[in-house]
Amino acid sequence: MEISLVRHSISLSNGAGLISGAGADVALSDAGITYAELVRDAYDWQQFDRIYVSPMKRAKQTAALLTMARQPMIEDARLQEMDFGDWEGQQAAELKHDFPAAFDYQDMFSEAMPDLSPNAETYAHLLARTAAFLADAEAATPAGKVLVVCHGFTIRALLANLLHTDFYHFAPVGNVSLTRLHLDEHDDFRARLEQFNILLA
């Protein structure tokens, strides 16, 4: 199986510097729609045998724009973004000032974030639900091409599962960036990373 992972385009929260995970179902901004349309023309999005998408608006909009809604999309709740708990919808800059330990040197959430944000999803739960998704995707399309349109933390969790490594070994992924892996169905779906965080436009 060849699996391509794509993060959604620029959302209303991205443009405003707000924290937006599973608890903030925001749509794409006008800039996000324009950028997704630009990326659509730079790649063959009709090549995939199966398309999975997070049920969140920004991911569904992105997938529909990239594929021009010509193919059926399978929504899977296990692909939604990490739930950032009570910090959803808050300004990232203010949280970084008040809780510096919750951020790393790339201004991404650190390992301490789930302990600092009340009601946040744990990294262990994120890894478990994405692992379950991968098992089902491998069984459904062992030798085809699969597209997954979801979210930044979700993609990093998928990669951690696929490559049997730590979540924090992967840098943040850009909006509508492409990450592609080949999974050998004859070798227990052992994954090989072929492209990571490629910006197509």
Side-chain angles (χ1 to χ4, degrees), residues 43-118:
Y43 194 70
D44 177 15
W45 299 102
Q46 306 302 321
Q47 64 180 287
F48 298 100
D49 301 301
R50 190 174 291 250
I51 299 172
Y52 293 98
V53 63
S54 158
M56 305 193 76
K57 292 175 184 175
R58 53 196 185 270
K60 291 194 294 183
Q61 280 184 281
T62 301
L65 287 165
L66 294 179
T67 65
M68 299 180 71
R70 290 176 179 168
Q71 296 165 268
M73 295 183 290
I74 303 168
E75 293 184 28
D76 195 310
R78 295 171 294 186
L79 294 172
Q80 70 181 4
E81 183 58 295
M82 185 173 181
D83 191 329
F84 301 125
D86 290 6
W87 288 1
E88 295 275 4
Q90 296 193 39
Q91 284 286 341
E94 294 178 5
L95 290 170
K96 185 178 180 182
H97 177 269
D98 295 339
F99 303 95
F103 293 82
D104 65 17
Y105 69 98
Q106 290 185 310
D107 290 335
M108 295 296 293
F109 280 137
S110 72
E111 293 172 317
M113 183 279 294
D115 295 325
L116 295 171
S117 175

Side-chain angles (χ1 to χ4, degrees), residues 1-5 155 158-160 162-163 165 169-171 173 178-184 189-198:
M1 178 174 75
E2 182 180 287
I3 184 168
S4 295
L5 310 175
I155 288 173
L158 289 165
L159 288 170
L162 287 165
L163 298 172
T165 189
H169 288 171
F170 303 102
V173 294
L178 175 70
T179 294
R180 186 166 58 87
L181 305 94
H182 182 265
L183 282 63
D184 188 348
F189 290 95
R190 185 159 57 170
R192 175 171 291 173
L193 183 63
E194 297 184 337
Q195 293 178 300
F196 174 69
N197 199 25
I198 302 299

